[in-house]
Amino acid sequence: MLNILWAAMILLGTVCAVFTGKIPSLTEACLSSAKEAVALAVTMAGIVSLWSGIMEIASCSGILTRMSGKIYPLLGFLFPSVPKDHPALKHICANMIANIFGLGWAATPAGLKAMEELEKLEDDRRAKKTPGPVRKKGIASDEMCTFLIINISSLQLIPITIIAYRNQYGSVNPAAITGPAILATAVSTLTAVLFCKIKTSKWRK
């Protein structure tokens, strides 16, 4: 669907440029945008490498494990049907910690692994190996929906991505976005948690 939308916008822009006589402007915009895209990609690659390395060091040194221990009580509230010793919780912890520090790129692998483990948990429930509410095959479980929504809304203490974008485009104070970002993501995360709890409660009733 996204490919169709992008193709339609490019085609529409080209047609409009032809009929309004702005082909030179279109060509200039394409070239300058391509240059900016490469520069931004190089900048983001450096930031991704730096913070992914920091996350790896934190994991190997045990810092990530200790931080995860602080989050487990919260996970018990968010995912009450997931057994405490289930491997999904470990990956969810890693994902949430990475997102809190604005490391969306480092959070993605852990998020994918968490989804795989949650899917295995749902399969075990269907096979009656693990207790808990079961949905039909092909329908996401409550835990999967909750994790996805919280991952999307994600509280961020340090919005690294936005700071990098602002720095790339010449912002005088790239980190000025930090305060508003914390407030906005805190509200979105609280809203996501309330929404998940209400919908899960209604489904179980």
Side-chain angles (χ1 to χ4, degrees):
M1 177 59 71
L2 286 177
N3 290 335
I4 295 174
L5 290 175
W6 278 111
M9 287 190 290
I10 292 172
L11 181 61
L12 181 61
T14 304
V15 170
C16 289
V18 170
F19 281 99
T20 56
K22 295 183 177 180
I23 290 295
S25 298
L26 175 64
T27 303
E28 182 180 353
C30 289
L31 294 175
S32 61
S33 296
K35 179 181 177 180
E36 287 184 13
V38 172
L40 182 59
V42 172
T43 300
M44 296 306 295
I47 294 172
V48 169
S49 300
L50 171 64
W51 285 101
S52 295
I54 291 175
M55 284 294 292
E56 187 65 24
I57 293 171
S59 177
C60 294
S61 64
I63 295 175
L64 193 58
T65 301
R66 288 195 291 272
M67 293 177 67
S68 297
K70 304 294 183 181
I71 296 180
Y72 273 113
L74 174 62
L75 295 184
F77 169 74
L78 295 174
F79 306 96
S81 299
V82 178
K84 292 183 179 179
D85 58 344
H86 199 276
L89 293 181
K90 177 182 177 182
H91 299 305
I92 291 173
C93 274
N95 175 270
M96 291 181 69
I97 290 172
N99 274 325
I100 286 173
F101 287 102
L103 308 177
W105 325 281
T108 300
L112 294 175
K113 290 179 181 178
M115 277 295 189
E116 290 175 359
E117 293 296 337
L118 290 175
E119 185 176 7
K120 290 178 183 177
L121 176 61
E122 191 69 6
D123 290 338
D124 289 342
R125 286 174 180 166
R126 294 191 187 97
K128 304 301 181 182
K129 296 179 181 179
T130 306
V134 182
R135 292 185 181 271
K136 294 180 181 179
K137 183 71 174 177
I139 298 178
S141 66
D142 291 340
E143 293 83 7
M144 295 172 74
C145 293
T146 299
F147 174 63
L148 180 61
I149 292 174
I150 292 176
N151 185 62
I152 293 172
S153 64
S154 184
L155 171 66
Q156 289 191 9
L157 299 180
I158 308 174
I160 298 296
T161 303
I162 302 302
I163 290 174
Y165 285 144
R166 287 168 58 85
N167 181 68
Q168 175 66 27
Y169 289 105
S171 173
V172 176
N173 185 8
I177 195 69
T178 302
I182 293 174
L183 178 61
T185 55
V187 171
S188 66
T189 301
L190 287 174
T191 303
V193 171
L194 288 174
F195 175 80
C196 291
K197 287 297 179 182
I198 292 171
K199 297 298 289 185
T200 300
S201 177
K202 286 183 177 180
W203 180 81
R204 291 181 179 177
K205 288 180 180 180

